[in-house]
Every structure is written in structure tokens, then in C-alpha cells.
Amino acid sequence: MIWLQLVADLQARLDMCDQFSKAMAEKSAEQLKRFEERMELQHRQEKHQLLEQLVKGSKEALGQQEKLKEEHRHRAKLLTLKLREAEQQRQQEIERVRQEEGRERMRRLCSLQQEALQLIQKIQVDYKQQEALRVDLSAYGHRGNQICGILSTVVRSSSERGYPTQDDVSLGEHSLQEMKMLVNTIEKELAAAEERKKAEDEAAKEKQKEAQQIQQQQAKLQTPAPTQDQKQTKREGLQKKASKGTLQRFLELQKVLELCQKVCEELATCKDPQTKKIRADLQRAVTTPVSQISSVSGSQVRDTFDKINNFLMGKPIVSAGRTIVVSQHPLGLDFVCLKLAEKLVSQGEEEVASHHESAFPIASVASALWERYPKVGELFLANLHKKCPYAVPFYPAFQEGISLEEYQRLLGYQVKDSIVEQQDSFLKRMSGMIRLYAAIMQVRWPYGTNQGNHPHGLNHGWLWLAQMVNMEPLSDITATLLFDFLEVCGNAMIRQYQDQFWKLLLLIKDQYFPTIEKITTSTEMGSASRLKHFLEGAVRRRDIPLPKGFLQPSFWRS
């Protein structure tokens, strides 16, 4: 019984321990659950705080970034304003310097004009005084008025443009220098005339007292033949060379030609068989079509131009059964432009020299190529000036250190084996080149819009003609080239300049041609006679006919 009681108590204790264990386990589980909830809550709170801090930091960073951007924009704006102000100040300084230089040039030009107007009073000698001294100074007065007119035109055009250029000032200084030379010449003429008058008066008194023989001798002394010095004095108004600007342009073109020749030297002198073949193909591609230009039909001239134009544009063409492209060699285009310019000039001295009517079809192609490829035009003009310096116009002076043969070449003569070509052959070549040059100035390619200015129009012809008659004439050459130029270009000049051209033509006839006659020998009268007959006929008819070979609109439809 006791054992049973003990067992029952033990069992009761065990049950109670189980219940206690269950209760403690449940309590522990509840406490663990609460702990986990607290930990989760704390973790959530910490995460929320961290997110808030991140958001706050991000907002602060964005705010700081916007602030920096705003500061950057502000600084950039300030910098831009400063740069703009600096540029404006620089431009204002440049403009101030330009205006100051322009005003200084204008003051200089006005002072030159004022001095010239003062000098013209000295040139315009009283007619009664001239008659008393038996001296004619009207030519000097006429030239002085021309110089004053030139200065007045320069000042007026400079005022319209704003300020004169340095070239305008140089022209003014040159004109004033010429005016001073005129005054000096007139003073010498008047002094010499007074001396002659004084001597004549004394001789007249002596004639009343002396015998008839002495009277005859004194009569001869009263009318002395003009001396060489007096002849030279009358020609002092003419220049010996062209204007500074013209000579500068001439030298620039020669530099362009020399540079192109130097660039093409590698291709021109290469000994490689393949390169030599390419060189021959390239040269033939442009020289052969130029040789084929004729006045047969307009379509033939157009086909010739199209062939050359397409080749220069890089398109393949067929020549002598071979397909040729200008890009066959890196220097192909430069080489082709050089040879094309040389060939055009050669056509002038050969084809045009022999057949004057061929000048216009060749000129049409040359003008079209010049307009589309200015480099070809520059090289043509440089080659023309080199072979015919009178197209500048430029009369090379003999200098120490060069041989006579070299000087003859500078004048345009051909010298072979120390033998200089005959004068007739020389004049024929110069005539052909001047005729081609005169034709180029007046023709435009009839196909296309032709909206731009002529690449080398009649204004250059007017400049050439004006400078020719302002320079001392050369025996035989000046008369020949003036006749050729006026015969080819005279009609176009009339249409372009009208009364102004007639004034220039009258000046040539009445004042310049007598100077040509004085230096012309009996063996050279042919060219002077042709020019005289042409000038007299043109002035009498008040017209210059169209030149031989001029291309009418119907030609281009053939």
C-alpha cells in the first residue's frame, strides 16, 4: 500500500512537472514571440530612420547640387559677359584704330588734293603770256586738269566708301609727284622761253643796224630747230612703267606660276616609264581639244569645252583610244591646269596670230574655263604676261648682270642658238596674244546662267588701254598692239563706256599718236600708218565695226 501510495505521489509529481514544463514552455514561447516582435519593431524603426536619413541626405545633396549648378550658371554667365565685353572692346579698339588710320589717310589724301589744286594754278599760265613768249603749254594744263580730276574722283569715291585705302593714298602721292614734275617742267619751259624771247629781242635790235647777211643769220637763230632736250621735256608727262598696283599684280601672278611649276616638277621631270605615260596622257587630254577649237560650228566648240570641263571635274574621258582620269596621279589636276593655260597662250601666239578670226571661239572656251576654274585663269594670265609683257603692260628695263639674249627673252623675243627672231615674226606673235586677250575680255560662255561678273571683263581692258597711253611708247610695238586691241575690243568698249571711250580715243588720236610718230622711223611706218588710218576712220564714222570672227548668236545654234 505504501508502495502504491508512493507510486501515486510520484506519478502526481510527474504530472505536475509535465504541466509545469508545458506551462514554462508556453510562457517561454510567448516571451520569445514578444522578443521577436520587439526586435522586428526595432529593426523596422531603425530601417525607417535610416530611410528618412537617406531621403534627407539625398534632398540635401540635391539642394547642394542645384546650388552648385546655379553658382556655375551664374559664373558662366558672368564669364560670358566678360568675354563678350572683352570682344566688344577688342572690336571697338580695332574699329577705332581702323577709323583713326582711315581719317589719317583721308587727311593725307585731302592735303594731297589741296596741294595739287595749288600747283594747278602754277600750271595754268596766262594765255597772253604764252602768246608773248611763243610757247604752247596747253598740254601741261590738260594733264594737270586730268590729275586733279583723278584726285577728285579718288577723294569722292573714298568718302562714299567711308575711308580711303592705302592704294588711294599711293595713287594720290604718285599724282602729286607727277604734278610737281609738270610744274618743274613748265618753269623750265617758261625760263627757256623768256631767255629765247630776250635773245630774240636783242637780235631784232641788232638786225636793224647790221647788214642783210647778219639779218639772215639772226633770222635763222630766231627759229632754232628743237633740241633733243626739248623733245625729251615734252614727253616728261608720260610714265616709263605701269602703276604700282599693276606691277604688284604682275609679280603675284608670276609667283603663282613659279609655285605651280615647282609643284608639278616631280611629275614633269620623272623618268619612270609608267609616270611618263601618265604625264603624256594627261597633257594630251587637254591640249588636243584646245588645238581642235575652230569657228566651224558652235556645237563643235561646245563639245570641246564639255570634254575639257568633264576631265577637270574628274570624269573619265577617252583620248587616243585610252581612258584617262585626272586623278591618275596626285599632281594630275595641277599639272593639267598648267598645261591647259600654256596651250591657250600658245594658241594666241600661233593660231590667232595667223588667223585672226579664230580668237573668238578660243576666247569663249578660255573665258568659260576661267569662270569655272579661276586657277586656270590665273595661270593663263601669268603665262601671257611672261610671253607678252606688253599685256601687263610692262616694259622690262635692261639691268646689269643679265646677258643681251636673256634681256631679249624678257622683252618677248624668241632666241635660238643666239639668234633673235625677226621683228615681223615677233610682232605677229605679240599681236596674236593681244588679240586673244582682247577677245577674252568681252565674251561670255553662252550656255548657262552667267549671273556672276565676267572673270576678267572689259574693265581690265579699259585699265590696260589707259595705262598704255599713259606710258612712253615703244617704236613699232606700241602702234601695233594698240591697233590690234582697238580693232578687236573697240566695238565692245564703245557699247560699255560710250562717251568716255570716245574721249579716250580722241586723246590717243590727238595727243598720244603724235608722240608715236616722233619715235617711228621710216622703216617702221607700216604699223603707225595702220593705227592712224584706224583712228581717223573711227572718229570720222563715230563707230568701230565688229571685229572679224565675232561670234553671232546664230553661230551657237549651228
Side-chain angles (χ1 to χ4, degrees), residues 415-537:
V415 182
K416 295 180 180 179
D417 300 327
S418 300
I419 299 176
V420 182
E421 70 176 323
Q422 295 295 320
Q423 184 72 1
D424 290 345
S425 174
F426 165 74
L427 291 175
K428 182 178 180 181
R429 290 191 305 105
M430 298 300 110
S431 172
M433 287 185 279
I434 288 296
R435 283 178 174 272
L436 177 60
Y437 186 43
I440 288 176
M441 294 177 185
Q442 58 181 297
V443 298
R444 297 293 298 272
W445 187 241
Y447 305 102
T449 57
N450 288 335
Q451 294 179 352
N453 294 328
H454 193 292
H456 199 79
L458 287 172
N459 56 314
H460 291 275
W462 178 273
L463 179 63
W464 181 86
L465 189 58
Q467 291 193 97
M468 279 289 287
V469 300
N470 200 34
M471 295 170 65
E472 291 185 357
L474 298 179
S475 177
D476 218 7
I477 297 175
T478 301
T480 298
L481 299 187
L482 279 177
F483 170 76
D484 291 323
F485 182 86
L486 291 172
E487 187 178 52
V488 175
C489 212
N491 184 272
M493 297 284 278
I494 291 174
R495 287 184 276 112
Q496 178 79 9
Y497 297 104
Q498 300 178 3
D499 290 343
Q500 293 297 321
F501 178 73
W502 285 113
K503 292 179 182 179
L504 181 58
L505 203 66
L506 285 172
L507 184 145
I508 296 173
K509 174 181 174 293
D510 297 336
Q511 299 184 31
Y512 191 66
F513 183 76
T515 308
I516 296 176
E517 279 188 318
K518 289 179 181 179
I519 65 169
T520 302
T521 63
S522 57
T523 59
E524 300 168 342
M525 286 303 296
S527 57
S529 298
R530 282 194 300 272
L531 178 61
K532 182 179 181 180
H533 179 73
F534 177 86
L535 293 172
E536 291 176 347

Side-chain angles (χ1 to χ4, degrees), residues 109-170:
L109 198 58
C110 290
S111 67
L112 292 172
Q113 185 184 23
Q114 184 177 4
E115 191 172 351
L117 291 174
Q118 292 172 354
L119 291 174
I120 193 66
Q121 302 300 324
K122 298 181 180 180
I123 292 178
Q124 293 175 345
V125 182
D126 184 64
Y127 287 107
K128 291 183 178 180
Q129 182 182 2
Q130 293 187 45
E131 185 176 355
L133 297 175
R134 283 187 279 183
V135 60
D136 184 12
L137 302 177
S138 59
Y140 297 107
H142 179 67
R143 182 55 185 165
N145 290 328
Q146 284 182 334
I147 294 174
C148 288
I150 291 172
L151 281 173
S152 178
T153 302
V154 171
V155 172
R156 182 168 57 254
S157 62
S158 300
S159 300
E160 293 173 355
R161 291 196 309 266
Y163 298 106
T165 63
Q166 188 59 42
D167 289 340
D168 294 333
V169 177
S170 299

Side-chain angles (χ1 to χ4, degrees), residues 263-474:
V263 169
C264 298
E265 185 177 2
E266 177 185 346
L267 176 58
T269 60
C270 183
K271 303 297 183 182
D272 178 64
Q274 184 64 27
T275 304
K276 290 173 66 176
K277 192 174 184 180
I278 293 174
R279 180 177 66 213
D281 288 342
L282 292 174
Q283 183 169 345
R284 185 171 59 252
V286 291
T287 57
T288 300
V290 172
S291 300
Q292 296 172 347
I293 300 174
S294 68
S295 55
V296 174
S297 67
S299 58
Q300 185 267 346
V301 176
R302 183 176 186 179
D303 291 342
T304 300
F305 167 76
D306 289 341
K307 189 173 185 179
I308 299 174
N309 184 46
N310 290 335
F311 184 63
L312 293 176
M313 291 173 62
K315 297 179 181 180
I317 66 168
V318 178
S319 178
R322 295 169 55 85
T323 301
I324 309 172
V325 185
V326 73
S327 59
Q328 283 179 297
H329 193 278
L331 300 175
L333 185 58
D334 290 328
F335 180 77
V336 163
C337 289
L338 177 62
K339 292 304 174 182
L340 177 58
E342 291 176 353
K343 183 61 178 178
L344 289 171
V345 175
S346 177
Q347 286 295 96
E349 67 174 335
E350 295 174 4
E351 180 64 22
V352 179
S354 300
H355 306 92
H356 292 171
E357 67 278 4
S358 65
F360 284 94
I362 297 173
S364 298
V365 175
S367 174
L369 292 172
W370 196 333
E371 186 170 358
R372 288 160 178 77
Y373 307 97
K375 183 176 182 179
V376 174
E378 286 190 339
L379 292 173
F380 167 80
L381 204 54
N383 274 287
L384 178 68
H385 290 171
K386 188 174 182 179
K387 285 194 172 185
C388 179
Y390 315 101
V392 177
F394 171 57
Y395 304 158
F398 185 79
Q399 299 176 354
E400 294 183 3
I402 64 173
S403 64
L404 182 59
E405 291 183 11
E406 184 62 27
Y407 180 60
Q408 294 285 1
R409 290 190 179 95
L410 290 177
L411 292 176
Y413 288 89
Q414 290 182 346
V415 182
K416 295 180 180 179
D417 300 327
S418 300
I419 299 176
V420 182
E421 70 176 323
Q422 295 295 320
Q423 184 72 1
D424 290 345
S425 174
F426 165 74
L427 291 175
K428 182 178 180 181
R429 290 191 305 105
M430 298 300 110
S431 172
M433 287 185 279
I434 288 296
R435 283 178 174 272
L436 177 60
Y437 186 43
I440 288 176
M441 294 177 185
Q442 58 181 297
V443 298
R444 297 293 298 272
W445 187 241
Y447 305 102
T449 57
N450 288 335
Q451 294 179 352
N453 294 328
H454 193 292
H456 199 79
L458 287 172
N459 56 314
H460 291 275
W462 178 273
L463 179 63
W464 181 86
L465 189 58
Q467 291 193 97
M468 279 289 287
V469 300
N470 200 34
M471 295 170 65
E472 291 185 357
L474 298 179

Side-chain angles (χ1 to χ4, degrees), residues 188-203:
K188 291 180 180 179
E189 287 276 0
L190 290 175
E194 289 177 356
E195 290 293 331
R196 287 196 302 269
K197 183 68 166 59
K198 185 178 179 180
E200 290 172 359
D201 291 341
E202 292 177 354

Side-chain angles (χ1 to χ4, degrees), residues 27-286:
K27 186 176 180 180
S28 297
E30 288 295 331
Q31 288 178 351
L32 179 60
K33 188 175 181 181
R34 300 286 86 75
F35 177 76
E36 289 176 352
E37 289 177 353
R38 284 196 301 272
M39 292 299 294
E40 184 179 356
L41 178 61
Q42 183 179 357
H43 179 69
R44 189 179 296 111
Q45 289 175 346
E46 289 177 353
K47 184 179 180 181
H48 182 67
Q49 289 176 357
L50 183 60
L51 288 174
E52 287 181 349
Q53 290 177 358
L54 289 173
V55 171
K56 184 178 180 181
S58 177
K59 289 182 179 179
E60 291 177 354
L62 289 174
Q64 187 68 21
Q65 187 178 7
E66 288 296 327
K67 185 177 180 182
L68 291 173
K69 287 182 178 179
E70 184 61 30
E71 290 180 358
H72 177 72
R73 283 193 292 269
H74 181 65
R75 290 178 181 175
K77 187 176 180 180
L78 289 176
L79 183 60
T80 302
L81 289 174
K82 289 181 180 180
L83 289 174
R84 190 175 299 166
E85 290 176 357
E87 179 64 21
Q88 289 177 351
Q89 291 176 359
R90 190 179 72 85
Q91 293 295 336
Q92 289 173 358
E93 180 64 19
I94 293 175
E95 182 64 20
R96 185 190 66 77
V97 172
R98 189 187 70 82
Q99 291 181 1
E100 181 63 28
E101 291 176 350
R103 285 192 291 269
E104 181 61 30
R105 288 194 294 269
M106 180 59 79
R107 285 192 292 269
R108 174 61 177 159
L109 198 58
C110 290
S111 67
L112 292 172
Q113 185 184 23
Q114 184 177 4
E115 191 172 351
L117 291 174
Q118 292 172 354
L119 291 174
I120 193 66
Q121 302 300 324
K122 298 181 180 180
I123 292 178
Q124 293 175 345
V125 182
D126 184 64
Y127 287 107
K128 291 183 178 180
Q129 182 182 2
Q130 293 187 45
E131 185 176 355
L133 297 175
R134 283 187 279 183
V135 60
D136 184 12
L137 302 177
S138 59
Y140 297 107
H142 179 67
R143 182 55 185 165
N145 290 328
Q146 284 182 334
I147 294 174
C148 288
I150 291 172
L151 281 173
S152 178
T153 302
V154 171
V155 172
R156 182 168 57 254
S157 62
S158 300
S159 300
E160 293 173 355
R161 291 196 309 266
Y163 298 106
T165 63
Q166 188 59 42
D167 289 340
D168 294 333
V169 177
S170 299
L171 178 59
E173 292 174 344
H174 176 76
S175 300
L176 181 62
Q177 184 65 27
E178 185 178 352
M179 185 77 81
K180 290 179 179 178
M181 290 175 62
L182 289 178
V183 172
N184 187 35
T185 303
I186 287 178
E187 290 176 350
K188 291 180 180 179
E189 287 276 0
L190 290 175
E194 289 177 356
E195 290 293 331
R196 287 196 302 269
K197 183 68 166 59
K198 185 178 179 180
E200 290 172 359
D201 291 341
E202 292 177 354
K205 293 178 182 180
E206 291 293 332
K207 282 192 298 181
Q208 297 175 359
K209 300 177 182 180
E210 296 177 354
Q212 185 65 31
Q213 183 179 2
I214 298 176
Q215 291 178 1
Q216 293 175 355
Q217 293 176 353
Q218 292 296 332
K220 293 180 181 179
L221 292 174
Q222 288 180 14
T223 56
T227 64
Q228 187 64 28
D229 292 338
Q230 290 172 335
K231 291 181 179 179
Q232 183 64 27
T233 301
K234 293 181 180 179
R235 294 175 55 200
E236 283 183 1
L238 296 176
Q239 302 174 8
K240 293 185 178 180
K241 60 182 180 179
S243 66
K244 182 178 179 181
T246 300
L247 292 177
Q248 183 177 356
R249 177 59 176 162
F250 164 69
L251 295 176
E252 289 175 355
L253 287 172
Q254 293 308 305
K255 288 182 180 179
V256 170
L257 177 60
E258 291 173 2
L259 179 60
C260 187
Q261 290 174 337
K262 187 175 181 181
V263 169
C264 298
E265 185 177 2
E266 177 185 346
L267 176 58
T269 60
C270 183
K271 303 297 183 182
D272 178 64
Q274 184 64 27
T275 304
K276 290 173 66 176
K277 192 174 184 180
I278 293 174
R279 180 177 66 213
D281 288 342
L282 292 174
Q283 183 169 345
R284 185 171 59 252
V286 291

